[in-house]
């Protein structure tokens, strides 16, 4: 009986412990939203890191240690504040919060190599933007990968004749051993500064006391040294490992291209067929990953070409022109002409429907949005014109461009000196393969007018795109700005030029680009991509590619990127035709006897809003718009150290994050550690003693003896 009674008591105790455990689990679930971590750390969600990029010879960019870099925050608002960080401050390493106007190469040189005192940088956006200008790119973009070299046009190689980007300080092509983050949200910047003022600011000459406000940045990069090294390691991993760990990826995406008159893309064009190429670039970059607004360096140009394509498509006799017109939007041109070099490579090997020999002439749009006057400059290559035949063709081309400007009073065509080389342009990659009569149209005669080339400040503001206050997003979308009108004039010139180069004679003067189209495109790419017009021509499954802010035009490694998709479907919308096909037929044209997927591309898009509801009316758009791979031939050939083709790769990483918190003094941390160790040792000793004397301390009670009455 006694034993039975003891078992019952143990069972009751076990049930009590079980209920207590369930209660603790429930309590933990209820308190999950108010965790200890959330009480300690304030995450910074609107940041952009500097990441590591590599080419055939070296690495650029930034990274943190594998566990992240932590330092006491110090705000640097003027250069004199650096003295505290570099020498006077008693609590290194420091995490510098740097005002955007101070983020220059000269200041960064002072911080480089001071890892014992510098943990990292957080850079705030300068508002207003730096007035003298700011470009972290180099003065000679894509040097060594264009047509000019020490063996061909040495007097033009390495920008000896013209420094195109005179404000470029090359900061984006330097390597830093500590993390650098851009703070994109002003509210988060204010929180950091308030934390600094509350805890780290020197008061009345006395040093700040603990706890101090600190920041931790995580941006550890897996790749090191060069593309040759990282690709070799990745190749070995993928060859011999069951679970390979790839440490870098080639920068790659897709070129967008279309033809004015459809052709069968499953075969090459006949050698007698001639094509006029209209080209521009899609991409840009800045110091920080995926922050590449590229308003003047890319967007204004490809928006102008889109408008020209729309205007030309409306001409009544385009189907009968003697020569075809190909519109090309190259990706990756910022990184040593990835897109154009790949297209030339494919043309030379018969992997593209249009061959190099089919190209009759080449018209490229460079930077065109910052004309200081009515002048638009026509750049040509002096080296290829040493051939008399090419020189005559180029002269005829320039005459055609000038003739096309007649009737456009806002444009005055100018020719730079015949001895001046081409600016950085995709045309250079084609000229490396074949002498082609080509021209590059720009808003600058020599050095760029763009003072924010490849920087975070090359935004809508840089090309004077602004809207009246108080308007709705829909009103802004349809507000025709002065910039839109100016670019529409350039698009009109381009459309008329292409029409005449293609052999047209009847309707040149009637070609007119639509300023409404230009202004909508500028708004979508530079202000708000998630707008009613962009939604109408995108596929339903691509809605997530449109955001509440502007699109960023960095080529990246996951493709197609947002920009590529939007340009593809915008071009299809502007030049294609709505056809009466069901969704199934549109997605599989073989089910429609009259359609041919080798000649056309078909897209089932969301369509315009129904007038009487909020629902959209989906439709099938047929066009000639296609994508072509923009991956450097160096990776096809596995020539990772190539000097002929671009070899840019991007390192992989596992975590990119930033947060702030309060840290205690080293002394308090040491005391806490010692007390913790002491409690641990004491607990172990007590546990050992209790376990050794368990038979005495926890002796089972004896059974009661029999009782006599």
């Amino acid at each position: 009986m006694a034993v039975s009674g003891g078992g019952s008591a143990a069972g009751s105790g076990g049930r009590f412990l079980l209920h207590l455990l369930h209660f603790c689990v429930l309590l933990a679930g209820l308190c999950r939203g108010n965790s200890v971590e959330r009480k300690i750390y304030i995450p910074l969600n609107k940041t952009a890191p500097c990441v590591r990029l590599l080419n055939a010879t070296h690495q650029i960019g930034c990274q943190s240690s594998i566990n992240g870099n932590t330092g006491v925050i110090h705000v640097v608002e003027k250069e004199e504040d650096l003295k505290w960080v570099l020498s006077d401050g008693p609590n290194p390493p420091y995490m510098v919060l740097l005002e955007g106007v101070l983020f220059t190469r000269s200041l960064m040189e002072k911080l480089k190599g001071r890892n014992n005192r510098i943990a990292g940088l957080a850079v705030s956006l300068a508002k207003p933007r730096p007035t003298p200008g700011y470009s972290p790119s180099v003065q000679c973009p894509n040097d060594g990968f264009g047509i000019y070299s020490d063996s061909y046009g040495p007097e033009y190689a390495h920008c000896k004749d013209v420094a195109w980007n005179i404000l470029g300080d090359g900061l984006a092509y330097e390597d830093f051993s500590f993390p650098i983050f851009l703070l994109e949200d002003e509210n988060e910047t204010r929180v950091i500064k308030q934390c600094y003022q509350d805890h780290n600011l020197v008061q009345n000459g006395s040093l700040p006391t603990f706890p101090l406000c600190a920041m931790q940045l995580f941006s550890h990069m897996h790749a090191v040294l060069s593309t040759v090294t990282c690709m070799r390691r990745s190749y070995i991993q993928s060859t011999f490992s069951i679970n390979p760990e790839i440490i870098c990826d080639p920068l790659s995406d897709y070129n967008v291209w279309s033809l004015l008159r459809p052709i069968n893309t499953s075969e090459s064009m006949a050698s007698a067929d001639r094509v006029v190429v209209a080209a521009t670039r899609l991409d840009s970059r800045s110091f920080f990953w995926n922050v590449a607004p590229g308003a003047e360096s890319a967007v204004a140009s490809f928006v102008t070409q889109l408008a020209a394509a729309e205007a030309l498509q409306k001409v009544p006799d385009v189907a009968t022109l003697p020569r075809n017109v190909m519109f090309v939007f190259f990706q990756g041109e910022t990184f040593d002409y990835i897109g154009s070099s790949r297209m030339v490579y494919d043309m030379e090997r018969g992997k593209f429907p249009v061959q190099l020999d089919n190209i009759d002439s080449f018209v490229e749009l460079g930077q065109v949005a910052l004309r200081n006057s009515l002048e638009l400059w026509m750049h040509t290559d002096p080296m290829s014109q040493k051939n008399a035949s090419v020189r005559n063709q180029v002269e005829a081309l320039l005459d055609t461009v000038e003739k096309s400007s007649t009737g456009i009073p806002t444009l005055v065509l100018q020719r730079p000196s015949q001895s001046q080389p081409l600016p950085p342009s995709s045309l250079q990659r084609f000229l490396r393969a074949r002498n082609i009569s080509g021209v590059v149209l720009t808003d600058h005669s020599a050095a760029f007018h763009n003072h924010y080339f490849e920087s975070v400040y090359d935004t809508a503001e840089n090309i004077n795109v602004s809207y009246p206050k108080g308007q709705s997003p829909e009103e802004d979308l349809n507000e025709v700005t002065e910039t839109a009108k100016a670019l529409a004039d350039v698009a009109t010139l381009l459309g008329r030029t292409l029409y005449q180069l293609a052999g047209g004679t009847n309707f040149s003067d009637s070609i007119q680009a639509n300023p409404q189209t230009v202004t909508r495109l500028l708004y979508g790419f530079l202000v708000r991509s998630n707008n009613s017009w962009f939604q109408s021509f995108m596929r339903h499954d691509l809605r997530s590619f449109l955001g509440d802010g502007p699109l960023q035009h960095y080529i990246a490694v996951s493709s197609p990127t947002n920009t590529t998709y939007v340009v593809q479907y915008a071009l299809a919308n502007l030049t294609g035709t709505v056809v009466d096909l069901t969704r199934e037929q549109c997605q599989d044209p073989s089910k429609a006897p009259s359609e041919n997927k080798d000649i056309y591309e078909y897209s089932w898009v969301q369509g315009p809003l129904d007038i009487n509801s909020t629902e959209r009316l989906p439709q099938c758009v047929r066009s000639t718009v296609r994508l072509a791979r923009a991956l450097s031939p160096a990776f096809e050939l596995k020539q990772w150290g190539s000097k002929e083709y671009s070899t840019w790769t991007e390192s992989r990483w596992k975590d990119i994050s930033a947060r702030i918190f309060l840290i205690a003094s080293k002394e308090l941390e040491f005391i806490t550690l010692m007390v913790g160790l002491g409690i641990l040792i004491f607990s172990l000793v007590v546990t050992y003693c209790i376990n050794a004397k368990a038979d005495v301390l926890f002796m089972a009670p004896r059974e009661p003896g029999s009782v006599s009455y």
Side-chain angles (χ1 to χ4, degrees), residues 255-260 262 265 306 309 313 327 329 564-576 599-603 621-628:
N255 298 322
V256 181
W257 68 282
S258 74
L259 284 161
L260 191 62
T265 56
L306 286 169
Q313 188 68 41
F327 294 96
F329 301 80
T564 302
Y565 270 131
V566 177
V567 169
Q568 176 191 6
Y569 286 99
L571 183 59
N573 175 74
L574 295 171
T575 62
I599 297 178
Y600 293 105
E601 278 287 306
Y602 300 83
S603 305
V621 175
R622 183 181 68 190
S623 71
T624 62
V625 181
R626 299 177 185 273
L627 300 181

Short mmCIF file of all heavy atoms in Angstrom, two decimals, residues 255-260 262 265 306 309 313 327 329 564-576 599-603 621-628:
data_model
loop_
_atom_site.label_atom_id
_atom_site.label_comp_id
_atom_site.label_asym_id
_atom_site.label_seq_id
_atom_site.Cartn_x
_atom_site.Cartn_y
_atom_site.Cartn_z
N ASN A 255 20.02 40.90 -73.65
CA ASN A 255 19.77 42.05 -74.52
C ASN A 255 18.34 41.96 -75.02
O ASN A 255 17.81 40.87 -75.24
CB ASN A 255 20.72 42.03 -75.74
CG ASN A 255 22.17 42.12 -75.34
OD1 ASN A 255 22.54 42.83 -74.42
ND2 ASN A 255 23.04 41.40 -76.05
N VAL A 256 17.71 43.11 -75.19
CA VAL A 256 16.38 43.17 -75.79
C VAL A 256 16.54 43.65 -77.23
O VAL A 256 17.22 44.64 -77.48
CB VAL A 256 15.47 44.14 -75.01
CG1 VAL A 256 14.07 44.18 -75.63
CG2 VAL A 256 15.39 43.74 -73.53
N TRP A 257 15.92 42.95 -78.18
CA TRP A 257 16.04 43.35 -79.58
C TRP A 257 14.75 43.06 -80.34
O TRP A 257 13.97 42.20 -79.96
CB TRP A 257 17.23 42.67 -80.26
CG TRP A 257 17.07 41.18 -80.45
CD1 TRP A 257 17.24 40.20 -79.51
CD2 TRP A 257 16.71 40.52 -81.67
NE1 TRP A 257 17.01 38.96 -80.05
CE2 TRP A 257 16.69 39.12 -81.38
CE3 TRP A 257 16.42 40.93 -82.96
CZ2 TRP A 257 16.38 38.16 -82.35
CZ3 TRP A 257 16.10 39.98 -83.92
CH2 TRP A 257 16.10 38.62 -83.61
N SER A 258 14.54 43.82 -81.39
CA SER A 258 13.37 43.59 -82.25
C SER A 258 13.67 44.11 -83.63
O SER A 258 14.57 44.94 -83.83
CB SER A 258 12.13 44.27 -81.68
OG SER A 258 12.21 45.67 -81.88
N LEU A 259 12.91 43.64 -84.59
CA LEU A 259 13.05 44.09 -85.98
C LEU A 259 11.79 44.81 -86.42
O LEU A 259 10.67 44.43 -86.03
CB LEU A 259 13.32 42.90 -86.89
CG LEU A 259 14.75 42.34 -86.83
CD1 LEU A 259 14.80 40.94 -87.37
CD2 LEU A 259 15.71 43.24 -87.59
N LEU A 260 11.96 45.82 -87.23
CA LEU A 260 10.81 46.57 -87.74
C LEU A 260 9.95 45.66 -88.62
O LEU A 260 8.72 45.69 -88.54
CB LEU A 260 11.32 47.76 -88.55
CG LEU A 260 10.30 48.81 -88.95
CD1 LEU A 260 9.68 49.46 -87.74
CD2 LEU A 260 10.97 49.87 -89.83
N PRO A 262 9.30 41.63 -89.50
CA PRO A 262 9.59 40.31 -88.92
C PRO A 262 10.39 39.42 -89.88
O PRO A 262 10.25 39.51 -91.11
CB PRO A 262 8.21 39.73 -88.65
CG PRO A 262 7.28 40.47 -89.55
CD PRO A 262 7.85 41.85 -89.67
N THR A 265 13.39 33.73 -87.23
CA THR A 265 14.56 33.72 -86.35
C THR A 265 15.21 32.35 -86.23
O THR A 265 16.25 32.22 -85.59
CB THR A 265 14.18 34.23 -84.94
OG1 THR A 265 13.11 33.42 -84.43
CG2 THR A 265 13.72 35.68 -85.01
N LEU A 306 12.88 53.82 -77.35
CA LEU A 306 11.55 53.21 -77.32
C LEU A 306 10.53 54.09 -78.03
O LEU A 306 9.69 53.60 -78.80
CB LEU A 306 11.12 52.97 -75.87
CG LEU A 306 11.79 51.82 -75.12
CD1 LEU A 306 11.47 51.88 -73.64
CD2 LEU A 306 11.37 50.47 -75.70
N ALA A 309 11.05 53.90 -81.76
CA ALA A 309 10.53 52.64 -82.31
C ALA A 309 9.02 52.72 -82.50
O ALA A 309 8.48 52.25 -83.51
CB ALA A 309 10.90 51.49 -81.38
N GLN A 313 7.19 52.55 -86.20
CA GLN A 313 6.27 51.43 -86.45
C GLN A 313 4.96 51.91 -87.07
O GLN A 313 4.29 51.17 -87.79
CB GLN A 313 5.98 50.69 -85.13
CG GLN A 313 5.21 49.40 -85.29
CD GLN A 313 6.02 48.32 -85.99
OE1 GLN A 313 7.20 48.16 -85.73
NE2 GLN A 313 5.39 47.60 -86.91
N PHE A 327 16.21 47.28 -83.60
CA PHE A 327 16.40 48.02 -82.36
C PHE A 327 17.04 47.09 -81.34
O PHE A 327 16.55 45.98 -81.10
CB PHE A 327 15.05 48.53 -81.82
CG PHE A 327 14.40 49.56 -82.71
CD1 PHE A 327 13.43 49.18 -83.64
CD2 PHE A 327 14.76 50.90 -82.62
CE1 PHE A 327 12.84 50.12 -84.46
CE2 PHE A 327 14.17 51.85 -83.43
CZ PHE A 327 13.21 51.46 -84.36
N PHE A 329 18.78 46.89 -77.34
CA PHE A 329 19.01 47.49 -76.03
C PHE A 329 20.00 46.57 -75.30
O PHE A 329 19.63 45.48 -74.86
CB PHE A 329 17.69 47.60 -75.25
CG PHE A 329 16.65 48.43 -75.95
CD1 PHE A 329 15.89 47.89 -76.98
CD2 PHE A 329 16.43 49.75 -75.58
CE1 PHE A 329 14.93 48.65 -77.64
CE2 PHE A 329 15.47 50.52 -76.22
CZ PHE A 329 14.71 49.97 -77.25
N THR A 564 15.08 44.70 -67.70
CA THR A 564 15.02 43.93 -68.94
C THR A 564 13.59 43.53 -69.27
O THR A 564 13.12 43.70 -70.40
CB THR A 564 15.90 42.67 -68.83
OG1 THR A 564 17.24 43.06 -68.52
CG2 THR A 564 15.89 41.88 -70.13
N TYR A 565 12.88 43.00 -68.28
CA TYR A 565 11.49 42.61 -68.50
C TYR A 565 10.62 43.80 -68.90
O TYR A 565 9.83 43.73 -69.84
CB TYR A 565 10.92 41.97 -67.25
CG TYR A 565 11.12 40.47 -67.15
CD1 TYR A 565 11.63 39.89 -65.99
CD2 TYR A 565 10.77 39.63 -68.21
CE1 TYR A 565 11.79 38.51 -65.89
CE2 TYR A 565 10.95 38.25 -68.12
CZ TYR A 565 11.45 37.70 -66.96
OH TYR A 565 11.62 36.34 -66.87
N VAL A 566 10.77 44.91 -68.17
CA VAL A 566 9.90 46.06 -68.44
C VAL A 566 10.17 46.64 -69.82
O VAL A 566 9.25 46.98 -70.56
CB VAL A 566 10.06 47.12 -67.34
CG1 VAL A 566 9.21 48.35 -67.67
CG2 VAL A 566 9.64 46.57 -65.98
N VAL A 567 11.45 46.75 -70.20
CA VAL A 567 11.78 47.25 -71.54
C VAL A 567 11.26 46.30 -72.61
O VAL A 567 10.72 46.73 -73.65
CB VAL A 567 13.30 47.47 -71.68
CG1 VAL A 567 13.69 47.74 -73.14
CG2 VAL A 567 13.75 48.63 -70.81
N GLN A 568 11.39 45.01 -72.36
CA GLN A 568 10.89 44.03 -73.33
C GLN A 568 9.40 44.21 -73.58
O GLN A 568 8.95 44.27 -74.74
CB GLN A 568 11.16 42.61 -72.80
CG GLN A 568 10.60 41.51 -73.70
CD GLN A 568 10.64 40.14 -73.04
OE1 GLN A 568 10.99 40.00 -71.86
NE2 GLN A 568 10.27 39.11 -73.79
N TYR A 569 8.63 44.32 -72.52
CA TYR A 569 7.17 44.41 -72.69
C TYR A 569 6.72 45.81 -73.08
O TYR A 569 5.69 45.96 -73.76
CB TYR A 569 6.47 43.92 -71.42
CG TYR A 569 6.55 42.42 -71.30
CD1 TYR A 569 7.51 41.82 -70.47
CD2 TYR A 569 5.72 41.60 -72.04
CE1 TYR A 569 7.61 40.44 -70.39
CE2 TYR A 569 5.81 40.22 -71.97
CZ TYR A 569 6.76 39.64 -71.14
OH TYR A 569 6.87 38.27 -71.09
N ALA A 570 7.49 46.83 -72.70
CA ALA A 570 7.18 48.18 -73.18
C ALA A 570 7.38 48.26 -74.68
O ALA A 570 6.55 48.82 -75.41
CB ALA A 570 8.06 49.20 -72.47
N LEU A 571 8.48 47.69 -75.18
CA LEU A 571 8.74 47.70 -76.62
C LEU A 571 7.69 46.89 -77.37
O LEU A 571 7.23 47.30 -78.45
CB LEU A 571 10.14 47.14 -76.89
CG LEU A 571 10.62 47.15 -78.34
CD1 LEU A 571 10.63 48.56 -78.91
CD2 LEU A 571 12.02 46.53 -78.44
N ALA A 572 7.28 45.75 -76.80
CA ALA A 572 6.23 44.95 -77.43
C ALA A 572 4.91 45.72 -77.48
O ALA A 572 4.18 45.68 -78.48
CB ALA A 572 6.05 43.64 -76.68
N ASN A 573 4.61 46.45 -76.42
CA ASN A 573 3.38 47.23 -76.37
C ASN A 573 3.39 48.37 -77.38
O ASN A 573 2.38 48.67 -78.02
CB ASN A 573 3.20 47.79 -74.96
CG ASN A 573 2.01 48.73 -74.84
OD1 ASN A 573 0.86 48.28 -74.84
ND2 ASN A 573 2.27 50.01 -74.73
N LEU A 574 4.57 49.00 -77.56
CA LEU A 574 4.68 50.16 -78.44
C LEU A 574 4.77 49.79 -79.91
O LEU A 574 4.41 50.59 -80.78
CB LEU A 574 5.89 51.01 -78.05
CG LEU A 574 5.83 51.66 -76.67
CD1 LEU A 574 7.19 52.28 -76.32
CD2 LEU A 574 4.73 52.69 -76.59
N THR A 575 5.27 48.60 -80.21
CA THR A 575 5.49 48.22 -81.61
C THR A 575 4.70 47.01 -82.05
O THR A 575 4.64 46.71 -83.24
CB THR A 575 6.99 47.93 -81.86
OG1 THR A 575 7.40 46.82 -81.04
CG2 THR A 575 7.85 49.14 -81.51
N GLY A 576 4.09 46.31 -81.10
CA GLY A 576 3.37 45.08 -81.44
C GLY A 576 1.91 45.32 -81.80
O GLY A 576 1.44 46.46 -81.91
N ILE A 599 8.52 33.50 -86.17
CA ILE A 599 8.48 34.85 -86.75
C ILE A 599 8.08 35.89 -85.71
O ILE A 599 8.61 37.00 -85.69
CB ILE A 599 7.49 34.88 -87.94
CG1 ILE A 599 8.00 33.94 -89.04
CG2 ILE A 599 7.31 36.30 -88.47
CD1 ILE A 599 7.08 33.86 -90.25
N TYR A 600 7.17 35.53 -84.80
CA TYR A 600 6.68 36.47 -83.80
C TYR A 600 6.84 35.91 -82.40
O TYR A 600 6.93 34.70 -82.18
CB TYR A 600 5.20 36.78 -84.03
CG TYR A 600 4.89 37.54 -85.30
CD1 TYR A 600 4.33 36.88 -86.40
CD2 TYR A 600 5.15 38.90 -85.41
CE1 TYR A 600 4.04 37.57 -87.58
CE2 TYR A 600 4.86 39.60 -86.58
CZ TYR A 600 4.31 38.93 -87.66
OH TYR A 600 4.03 39.62 -88.82
N GLU A 601 6.85 36.83 -81.45
CA GLU A 601 6.74 36.50 -80.03
C GLU A 601 5.34 36.86 -79.57
O GLU A 601 4.76 37.87 -80.00
CB GLU A 601 7.76 37.28 -79.20
CG GLU A 601 9.15 36.67 -79.19
CD GLU A 601 9.22 35.42 -78.32
OE1 GLU A 601 8.84 35.48 -77.15
OE2 GLU A 601 9.65 34.37 -78.85
N TYR A 602 4.78 36.05 -78.64
CA TYR A 602 3.42 36.27 -78.16
C TYR A 602 3.43 36.42 -76.65
O TYR A 602 4.11 35.66 -75.94
CB TYR A 602 2.52 35.09 -78.56
CG TYR A 602 2.44 34.88 -80.06
CD1 TYR A 602 3.44 34.17 -80.74
CD2 TYR A 602 1.39 35.40 -80.80
CE1 TYR A 602 3.37 33.98 -82.11
CE2 TYR A 602 1.31 35.21 -82.18
CZ TYR A 602 2.31 34.50 -82.82
OH TYR A 602 2.25 34.33 -84.18
N SER A 603 2.71 37.41 -76.15
CA SER A 603 2.69 37.69 -74.70
C SER A 603 1.25 37.91 -74.25
O SER A 603 0.52 38.73 -74.83
CB SER A 603 3.51 38.93 -74.37
OG SER A 603 4.83 38.81 -74.86
N VAL A 621 -0.53 40.05 -77.12
CA VAL A 621 0.25 40.99 -77.94
C VAL A 621 1.26 40.21 -78.77
O VAL A 621 2.05 39.42 -78.24
CB VAL A 621 0.97 42.02 -77.05
CG1 VAL A 621 1.86 42.91 -77.90
CG2 VAL A 621 -0.03 42.85 -76.26
N ARG A 622 1.22 40.44 -80.08
CA ARG A 622 2.18 39.81 -81.00
C ARG A 622 3.20 40.85 -81.44
O ARG A 622 2.84 41.95 -81.85
CB ARG A 622 1.44 39.25 -82.21
CG ARG A 622 2.32 38.51 -83.20
CD ARG A 622 1.51 38.02 -84.37
NE ARG A 622 1.03 39.13 -85.20
CZ ARG A 622 0.14 39.00 -86.18
NH1 ARG A 622 -0.40 37.81 -86.43
NH2 ARG A 622 -0.23 40.05 -86.88
N SER A 623 4.47 40.50 -81.32
CA SER A 623 5.52 41.44 -81.67
C SER A 623 6.75 40.69 -82.15
O SER A 623 6.79 39.45 -82.15
CB SER A 623 5.89 42.32 -80.46
OG SER A 623 6.58 41.54 -79.49
N THR A 624 7.77 41.46 -82.53
CA THR A 624 9.05 40.86 -82.92
C THR A 624 10.11 41.01 -81.83
O THR A 624 11.29 40.81 -82.08
CB THR A 624 9.57 41.52 -84.22
OG1 THR A 624 9.81 42.92 -83.96
CG2 THR A 624 8.58 41.36 -85.36
N VAL A 625 9.67 41.37 -80.62
CA VAL A 625 10.61 41.65 -79.52
C VAL A 625 11.09 40.34 -78.91
O VAL A 625 10.29 39.48 -78.51
CB VAL A 625 9.94 42.52 -78.44
CG1 VAL A 625 10.93 42.82 -77.33
CG2 VAL A 625 9.39 43.80 -79.05
N ARG A 626 12.40 40.20 -78.81
CA ARG A 626 12.98 38.98 -78.26
C ARG A 626 14.14 39.32 -77.33
O ARG A 626 14.62 40.45 -77.30
CB ARG A 626 13.48 38.06 -79.39
CG ARG A 626 12.38 37.61 -80.33
CD ARG A 626 12.91 36.76 -81.47
NE ARG A 626 11.87 36.42 -82.43
CZ ARG A 626 11.06 35.36 -82.33
NH1 ARG A 626 11.19 34.53 -81.30
NH2 ARG A 626 10.14 35.12 -83.25
N LEU A 627 14.56 38.31 -76.60
CA LEU A 627 15.71 38.44 -75.71
C LEU A 627 16.88 37.63 -76.28
O LEU A 627 16.67 36.57 -76.87
CB LEU A 627 15.38 37.93 -74.30
CG LEU A 627 14.25 38.64 -73.55
CD1 LEU A 627 14.07 38.02 -72.16
CD2 LEU A 627 14.53 40.13 -73.41
N ALA A 628 18.08 38.15 -76.10
CA ALA A 628 19.30 37.43 -76.50
C ALA A 628 20.27 37.46 -75.33
O ALA A 628 20.43 38.49 -74.67
CB ALA A 628 19.92 38.08 -77.73
#
